[in-house]
Amino acid sequence: MITVTTATVTLGGVTIGLSILAWHLSRWWRTGGGGPKVGPAAGGGGGRDPKTLIPLLSSVALGMLCVTAAGGVLGTGATMLLSAGNLLGDWSLTAVTGSSTPSVTRSGHNALTPGGCAALVVYVIGLIAVWRSGGKLFHGRVVSGVICGVMLGLSAGFSGVAASAVVTVFNWAGDKVTGVM
């Protein structure tokens, strides 16, 4: 039986996740990948290399997968991180705008199958191997990407649909490779 996480995400948590994503994407857009500025008179602009987004996007996917895990170290850690993000996001929205922060968790979100969980463990091991070879900038992108993925993984918006697609792909691949089906 596949159990689904009981974690919920609030508008504050989604705001934190979207803010992290906006930060990284705007820096990428402006500098072309986090390196020295390019373009006319170093004013930024051109030279945007999509490959420089790979560490961020792969770690966002990891965060989305971890928050859909039903338990264990990854699921529990992601749920605790989500609770802290919800609290911080709710406080910031209330303090800055005076807005309320409703729950925006999508109903019927996917859970990882046993094969999908096996694929997640292999993915984590691969990211740890890549992590060890990266520098400070890379580590920052990965950590903030995981936080972003955890905050956006259960939302009812587009990011939640993306998380559902990532979970579906991992479940399919894990089930096929491990022979669980």
Side-chain angles (χ1 to χ4, degrees):
M1 180 174 152
I2 300 170
T3 57
V4 180
T5 181
T6 58
T8 60
V9 64
T10 64
L11 184 59
V14 170
T15 301
I16 296 283
L18 289 175
S19 297
I20 292 170
L21 192 60
W23 174 268
H24 284 288
L25 291 179
S26 62
R27 287 185 49 91
W28 170 77
W29 186 263
R30 179 79 178 136
T31 63
K37 292 186 178 178
V38 294
R48 293 172 197 96
D49 186 8
K51 290 183 294 202
T52 59
L53 292 175
I54 291 173
L56 174 69
L57 297 179
S58 62
S59 59
V60 168
L62 176 61
M64 289 177 170
L65 288 165
C66 288
V67 81
T68 59
V73 173
L74 293 176
T76 303
T79 302
M80 290 170 55
L81 183 61
L82 179 62
S83 296
N86 283 339
L87 186 66
L88 179 64
D90 292 349
W91 173 81
S92 65
L93 273 181
T94 303
V96 173
T97 66
S99 172
S100 64
T101 55
S103 175
V104 291
T105 308
R106 79 176 177 277
S107 60
H109 52 270
N110 296 354
L112 289 171
T113 62
C117 289
L120 174 59
V121 169
V122 171
Y123 187 62
V124 167
I125 297 300
L127 280 180
I128 289 172
V130 173
W131 166 279
R132 293 185 47 88
S133 65
K136 280 180 113 175
L137 183 63
F138 176 79
H139 291 167
R141 286 182 184 155
V142 170
V143 169
S144 61
V146 169
I147 294 169
C148 176
V150 166
M151 297 300 144
L152 298 177
L154 298 178
S155 72
F158 177 76
S159 57
V161 173
S164 181
V166 169
V167 169
T168 301
V169 167
F170 264 73
N171 283 341
W172 177 83
D175 290 345
K176 291 293 183 186
V177 169
T178 60
V180 172
M181 292 183 85

